Amino acid sequence: MSSRPTVTPEGTPPSAGRDVELLRAMRDRIDQQDPGAFNNLGVLYHARGLHAEAVDAFLRALALDPRMRTAARNLEVAATCPGACDERLAALEARIAADPDDRQAIRARAHLTRLIGRLPEAIRQLDALIAEDPEDAEALFERGLIEQRAGDLRRAQRWFERAVNAGAVSDARLHLAEVLYQRGQNEQALDLLDHLLDESPRHADAHLLRGFLLGDMGHHELAMQATRRAAELNPALETVQSDLSIAAHVPAGHASVMEVDPAGALARYGLGLAFRQRGYFREARSEFERALAQGEDERLVQHALAELDLLDGNSAGARHRYEQLLTSQETVRWWNEHGVALHQAGDVAAAADSYRRALRIDPRHALAYNNLGVALADRGDVEAAREALTRAAELDPTLVRARRNLACLLAWHGEAMAALALLRELVEFHPRDAEAWHILGTVLAALERFEDARDAFVKAIEQRSAHAEARFALAAVLDRLGDHDGALRETQQALAIAPVRAEARLAVGIDLQRECPDAVGPVDLLRLVGGAPLVGVALDAAAVDHLLPEQVSAVAPRSIIERAIAACEEADAFAERTLHGEAVERYQRARDLMQDEPVTPAPAEDVMRRLWRRAAVGEARSRCLLNQAASARVLLETLATVSPEDPEVLALMAASLGDGAPGGDIAANTAAARSTLLRLLGQQVDSAALLHFAGDVAMKIDDRVLALGFYRRALARDPMRPTPRIAIARLLREQGDLLAARLEIVAALTAAPAWREARLELARLHRDAGRPDEARVLLVACLAEVPTDLDALELLAGVLVTEERADDARVAVDRLLRHDPSRAAARWYDGVLLVRQARLREALARWAQVADDPEAGAWGDRARKAMQRARTLRDDPTSPDTVGENATGQTHAAPVPAIHAAQAHMAQAHTAQAHVEQDATCQVA
């Protein structure tokens, strides 16, 4: 054992130092082939502050048993402690610096980086190895392990297959078989294990996995034999292991605020998820019902059951469950799936409303836009459906369902060539998508390109042999081409698969279909064939009209006024649905109608004048909400000549002036915007929303006093409206009046207790008032409800850094980086935490990324200042606290004992930290 200086954690009793040498001596006395013993020894090391020794012990445990999950978790926790892995990493860096072609050292560094949980670094290092040598079996295997841990079984399978083909050892084949088993491909997994056992008949883990597979396939006797053989080869598989976990030894007062018990009270729920992922829905439902009976988390289990109801077509049961869930918490996923339940039942209008409520929570949720597009198409609103589906495809290019739906919509409404171009691009990037090939064939057949259509249908059947609709369509095309025998053959095969043809329609989706792509099929909606449903009760025309109300009238208005009114009403409907691009087009159409054919009679002229103003104001409003306020300047100037003191015109004109114009005088425009807002402030305005909008315009031109006046007037008009209170609280917090800001936030939360913006602003207030513990409790509660709220996670990271809870801050920062690797705040805090670990070189690299990011804003300025201070401290040879760095990144100092060098290193880190962290808790409002 090397003589490392020990760092005793705060709160350790003084007598603990006497146990250190005894603990170190235990390493040679335990069973050298027992991974559990080394794991438990590592936990004891960690509890006494011997973090480097703990890492050594956990690595030894994993070397003996690479699949020991307890040791892997413990290693990740121990590795976050200061100095725990520095010596190992520095030694590897020195080897690589001495010989940059030493691939074994590079592989070892990537392996260690993966084990200690620094997955982004490990991915970069492994990708570099694979780029140099695509047949590097060890690197390919390590890459697969990362994807398997992340839960992406498809990508893990591809990496393991490449590793096996490159000649990887038996572990790669075992992991490949495990992934195949997890994806439900039991036959392939069993065949792979049989080959592995032919070569390594004493591989206990392979026998154990084979037992699971055989049991899953119903061969229970063979499964028992395989399990017994595994236990014979490795008796530890049958014994109860008492492996310790670091989480159970966290000192009092230092509990992790984001800790999850890996063996917690969700065992039945987890088993149900495993069944569901493989498509065993009946078994999954049984496990979920047992989970409810055993008192597991009711919200999680009820949601899982609701999704199974959707897949089973039980729309009434699903709707009831979602409505119960939504009374306690509103999430975008639950509202979207509530809409699907309504859609299944045929209540399309209510379904569309649920999809819109989902989009109000998350305006970038592509799946909800897709489902809204399907509902709008079902109601006959083709243009709105097209815009919604286009937006879904733009927000998430990987959402194939939205692109297929958009292509169908285009083809059904006379835009076959546009649909054809979209489908050709789709099958180029997704050549295994049978439904895309089927739709492509349908479009080609409609264009009478029968040979191309035949090829497309054949492709669809190659990808999914049970695709009945593709076989029916192929039969029709073959008949047109004169191949009557082929047509008869395909028809017979199609009838054997599906005796009744289903009417083609657009497809909705739920998140579960993306989580379990191999297990979950389509979510069926109401299907009509010849006026009657395929299953269930018969529906007459009146019932169908009741299900799909407000159909678009086929009779066009005759007069110019009627046509303009219809265009304005259509535009208003789009604006209410926040589809402002479509609204602008309709408002423009209404104005063009009135401009091209003026009406001369005085009464009609008065109607036209009011109608023109309605269209002009609506267009200007929609342009402002699209952040195109400058483009509405000319229109607003025309309106101002007619209604110079109209409050809405004044507010929109101020927004247009504040937005600036190409080649305009920014200072003059800002002054004009301020003057216009002052005129508005003197008007009698009854709309709280309009006053709040004016306050936002004042904030845009950086007039906070004027903004505060508008927000207070908006609050006076509607005291129960929470949005002005938060805007006022934010301004008061910036001015340092924290007590008044707190009162405003409390009032907002009284009106809307679960409102996210109010809770986050209250957390900022606690943070600025020097109450980080209160901010932390509030943010943890927010993240317990919505774990992917990145703004809350960013705030929590800053609070934890302020509290010097480095372990918890590291968890928060890593989560931020996992969800958004380019987030400037996450990289800034990553650098701060690295400084605390005396890893200045890595911290400087993080801050350099922030400083070079043109969108980083205040974080970029902070990073540049911190880099300058850190470099000054590092490079100043006269500083007594400075420890230099050589070319390999190793620290060096005067020839003093090792403990003195370590103390100097830590002193340098703390000195640098004191300087570079002074802005760490400053957040961007």
Side-chain angles (χ1 to χ4, degrees):
M1 294 294 296
S2 60
S3 58
R4 299 185 183 90
T6 63
V7 181
T8 304
E10 183 180 350
T12 303
S15 60
R18 297 195 297 268
D19 302 332
V20 169
E21 293 305 323
L22 177 62
L23 284 173
R24 287 175 171 156
M26 286 176 63
R27 180 184 181 95
D28 299 324
R29 300 178 67 103
I30 63 176
D31 185 351
Q32 298 298 301
Q33 299 302 315
D34 185 352
F38 277 100
N39 171 75
N40 295 347
L41 179 61
V43 173
L44 295 176
Y45 280 151
H46 183 81
R48 290 295 184 270
L50 302 173
H51 303 310
E53 283 85 348
V55 168
D56 291 341
F58 295 138
L59 287 172
R60 179 63 183 273
L62 289 170
L64 294 170
D65 183 2
R67 304 169 69 80
M68 188 176 183
R69 295 183 178 179
T70 304
R73 285 195 301 268
N74 290 341
L75 174 60
E76 289 190 14
V77 175
T80 61
C81 298
C85 296
D86 288 355
E87 185 175 333
R88 281 181 171 270
L89 288 171
L92 290 171
E93 294 287 356
R95 283 179 57 188
I96 296 168
D99 182 6
D101 297 326
D102 187 350
R103 293 183 63 84
Q104 193 60 39
I106 299 173
R107 284 196 206 98
R109 181 182 62 180
H111 175 73
L112 177 60
T113 306
R114 175 184 67 81
L115 288 177
I116 64 179
R118 300 179 192 173
L119 299 184
E121 292 180 42
I123 290 172
R124 287 194 297 271
Q125 293 164 4
L126 291 169
D127 286 348
L129 282 167
I130 295 167
E132 293 179 9
D133 180 8
E135 299 300 314
D136 189 330
E138 291 184 33
L140 293 168
F141 175 55
E142 291 277 338
R143 197 67 175 79
L145 290 174
I146 292 175
E147 297 298 344
Q148 186 182 22
R149 169 180 167 168
D152 194 334
L153 299 180
R154 285 188 171 189
R155 298 183 67 181
Q157 179 179 336
R158 288 199 294 271
W159 286 112
F160 288 144
E161 286 172 348
R162 288 182 61 184
V164 170
N165 293 334
V169 293
S170 60
D171 280 344
R173 281 179 287 178
L174 179 64
H175 278 269
L176 177 56
E178 185 179 56
V179 168
L180 291 170
Y181 167 60
Q182 290 169 338
R183 298 191 65 195
Q185 300 175 23
N186 291 349
E187 291 79 6
Q188 298 93 314
L190 188 61
D191 183 63
L192 188 63
L193 284 174
D194 289 341
H195 283 88
L196 173 58
L197 289 171
D198 287 341
E199 298 178 11
S200 306
R202 300 185 60 81
H203 200 308
D205 286 333
H207 281 288
L208 184 64
L209 180 57
R210 189 170 182 272
F212 280 115
L213 274 167
L214 291 168
D216 208 18
M217 298 168 72
H219 307 305
H220 301 296
E221 288 296 328
L222 294 174
M224 290 292 293
Q225 294 174 16
T227 306
R228 289 195 199 100
R229 180 58 177 157
E232 290 172 5
L233 295 170
N234 183 5
L237 295 175
E238 277 193 334
T239 61
V240 177
Q241 301 296 314
S242 57
D243 299 327
L244 301 179
S245 172
I246 285 179
H249 293 269
V250 178
H254 289 261
S256 173
V257 300
M258 305 181 73
E259 180 181 313
V260 178
D261 183 1
L266 294 175
R268 290 290 181 187
Y269 172 73
L271 187 56
L273 292 182
F275 277 125
R276 190 180 69 179
Q277 188 171 14
R278 295 197 197 125
Y280 300 147
F281 296 143
R282 185 177 60 186
E283 292 83 355
R285 185 179 292 276
S286 299
E287 293 301 329
F288 290 142
E289 288 170 353
R290 289 179 187 140
L292 278 180
Q294 293 183 8
E296 296 187 15
D297 192 315
E298 185 174 1
R299 286 192 307 174
L300 291 176
V301 180
Q302 289 288 5
H303 178 222
L305 286 168
E307 289 180 316
L308 288 180
D309 287 339
L310 288 179
L311 298 177
D312 292 340
N314 180 12
S315 57
R319 176 179 178 179
H320 175 72
R321 293 185 195 275
Y322 283 116
E323 287 172 354
Q324 292 294 321
L325 289 166
L326 288 165
T327 57
S328 61
Q329 179 184 352
E330 297 189 29
T331 71
V332 61
R333 180 167 182 169
W334 291 354
W335 271 119
N336 177 62
E337 292 170 7
H338 178 260
V340 173
L342 293 168
H343 213 145
Q344 274 186 326
D347 194 349
V348 183
D353 185 59
S354 292
Y355 299 143
R356 292 191 189 101
R357 297 189 73 166
L359 289 168
R360 290 192 192 105
I361 298 174
D362 181 4
R364 299 186 60 80
H365 195 270
L367 196 56
Y369 265 117
N370 171 80
N371 295 351
L372 176 60
V374 176
L376 293 171
D378 285 349
R379 298 188 63 187
D381 199 344
V382 177
E383 289 301 320
R386 176 177 178 175
E387 181 175 352
L389 292 171
T390 302
R391 186 167 298 185
E394 290 172 349
L395 287 172
D396 186 357
T398 66
L399 186 58
V400 177
R401 183 183 310 272
R403 293 179 178 273
R404 288 200 305 253
N405 285 339
L406 180 58
C408 287
L409 193 70
L410 293 172
W412 293 346
H413 294 88
E415 298 184 53
M417 297 308 296
L420 191 62
L422 185 60
L423 288 165
R424 288 195 184 282
E425 180 183 8
L426 188 59
V427 296
E428 182 180 355
F429 286 97
H430 301 277
R432 299 180 62 84
D433 189 335
E435 193 58 36
W437 283 111
H438 172 230
I439 299 170
L440 176 61
T442 304
V443 174
L444 290 167
L447 294 171
E448 298 187 355
R449 296 168 57 175
F450 296 116
E451 293 184 356
D452 292 336
R454 176 194 60 198
D455 296 341
F457 290 134
V458 168
K459 284 280 191 182
I461 295 167
E462 286 175 356
Q463 303 307 321
R464 196 200 310 165
S465 59
H467 199 313
E469 293 305 311
R471 290 189 181 275
F472 278 124
L474 177 58
V477 167
L478 291 174
D479 188 60
R480 292 293 299 268
L481 291 173
D483 185 358
H484 304 299
D485 291 339
L488 179 61
R489 181 184 65 252
E490 291 299 332
T491 303
Q492 289 172 341
Q493 294 188 23
L495 287 171
I497 298 169
V500 182
R501 290 199 65 176
E503 184 186 47
R505 63 163 300 131
L506 306 183
V508 299
I510 59 178
D511 288 321
L512 181 62
Q513 292 171 302
R514 306 190 76 175
E515 295 167 7
C516 310
D518 298 319
V520 181
V523 178
D524 287 329
L525 300 178
L526 179 68
R527 292 180 181 273
L528 296 176
V529 177
L534 291 177
V535 292
V537 241
L539 293 175
D540 55 17
V544 174
D545 289 340
H546 176 70
L547 288 174
L548 306 176
E550 300 178 17
Q551 294 286 347
V552 177
S553 174
V555 180
R558 295 180 181 178
S559 71
I560 297 173
I561 292 179
E562 289 173 336
R563 291 162 64 191
I565 290 174
C568 284
E569 289 176 350
E570 189 179 355
D572 291 343
F574 276 117
E576 289 175 6
R577 299 196 297 266
T578 69
L579 303 175
H580 294 291
E582 294 288 342
V584 167
E585 292 183 11
R586 272 63 177 186
Y587 287 129
Q588 285 179 330
R589 185 186 305 165
R591 290 197 302 110
D592 292 341
L593 283 170
M594 291 177 280
Q595 183 175 353
D596 294 343
E597 299 184 41
V599 180
T600 52
E605 186 176 357
D606 186 55
V607 172
M608 293 284 268
R609 188 181 302 110
R610 292 198 302 272
L611 195 56
W612 184 91
R613 182 189 177 281
R614 173 185 173 185
V617 171
E619 180 183 343
R621 185 193 312 116
S622 290
R623 288 187 181 278
C624 288
L625 294 174
L626 284 170
N627 294 322
Q628 301 172 3
S631 64
R633 178 83 57 83
V634 175
L635 189 58
L636 287 165
E637 288 173 349
T638 305
L639 281 167
T641 59
V642 179
S643 307
E645 300 302 321
D646 183 279
E648 188 168 13
V649 174
L650 287 173
L652 294 172
M653 176 61 81
S656 177
L657 290 165
D659 195 38
D665 187 342
I666 295 177
N669 285 335
T670 302
R674 183 177 293 105
S675 174
T676 305
L677 288 173
L678 289 171
R679 286 170 58 196
L680 175 61
L681 199 60
Q683 300 289 329
Q684 182 64 32
V685 182
D686 296 325
S687 169
L690 181 61
L691 289 166
H692 193 286
F693 175 79
D696 291 342
V697 174
M699 286 294 295
K700 190 169 184 178
I701 63 173
D702 201 24
D703 192 331
R704 282 166 165 68
V705 175
L706 192 55
L708 187 60
F710 276 114
Y711 291 140
R712 291 203 181 280
R713 286 190 61 180
L715 190 59
R717 291 290 180 270
D718 185 358
M720 295 303 294
R721 190 182 184 93
T723 49
R725 290 193 183 276
I726 297 306
I728 292 170
R730 189 172 291 122
L731 286 170
L732 292 173
R733 179 172 59 82
E734 290 179 2
Q735 296 169 7
D737 194 347
L738 302 185
L739 178 59
R742 181 186 176 90
L743 293 175
E744 294 291 347
I745 296 172
V746 170
L749 287 170
T750 303
W755 193 30
R756 170 183 175 274
E757 290 300 323
R759 297 169 78 184
L760 294 185
E761 188 60 29
L762 181 57
R764 294 187 184 99
L765 189 64
H766 285 321
R767 178 203 64 199
D768 292 353
R771 296 189 295 270
D773 53 336
E774 296 182 41
R776 168 169 44 82
V777 171
L778 180 59
L779 290 167
V780 169
C782 293
L783 287 164
E785 297 174 6
V786 186
T788 56
D789 189 335
L790 300 190
D791 292 334
L793 204 54
E794 178 183 314
L795 280 170
L796 181 60
V799 168
L800 293 170
V801 167
T802 303
E803 291 186 297
E804 297 187 358
R805 300 178 66 135
D807 292 346
D808 293 329
R810 169 53 62 193
V811 174
V813 170
D814 286 347
R815 286 192 183 181
L816 269 174
L817 291 170
R818 184 163 63 249
H819 289 292
D820 186 0
S822 62
R823 198 177 186 92
R827 290 185 290 187
W828 160 261
Y829 287 127
D830 191 17
V832 172
L833 293 174
L834 289 170
V835 167
R836 290 191 172 186
Q837 294 179 297
R839 293 157 62 185
L840 287 177
R841 181 183 295 276
E842 295 175 63
L844 288 171
R846 301 294 187 281
W847 289 335
Q849 295 172 351
V850 181
D852 294 339
D853 186 354
E855 299 180 359
W859 297 108
D861 297 336
R862 193 169 296 127
R864 282 185 283 273
K865 293 176 183 177
M867 289 169 64
Q868 183 60 39
R869 290 170 182 160
R871 288 187 179 120
T872 301
L873 287 166
R874 184 189 64 180
D875 299 334
D876 184 3
T878 63
S879 174
D881 295 323
T882 299
V883 179
E885 293 182 355
N886 58 26
T888 65
Q890 294 177 287
T891 57
H892 66 88
V896 294
I899 188 168
H900 293 165
Q903 289 172 345
H905 197 147
M906 292 302 295
Q908 177 218 7
H910 290 307
T911 303
Q913 173 187 326
H915 287 275
V916 301
E917 283 186 10
Q918 62 181 351
D919 295 328
T921 58
C922 296
Q923 301 284 335
V924 177

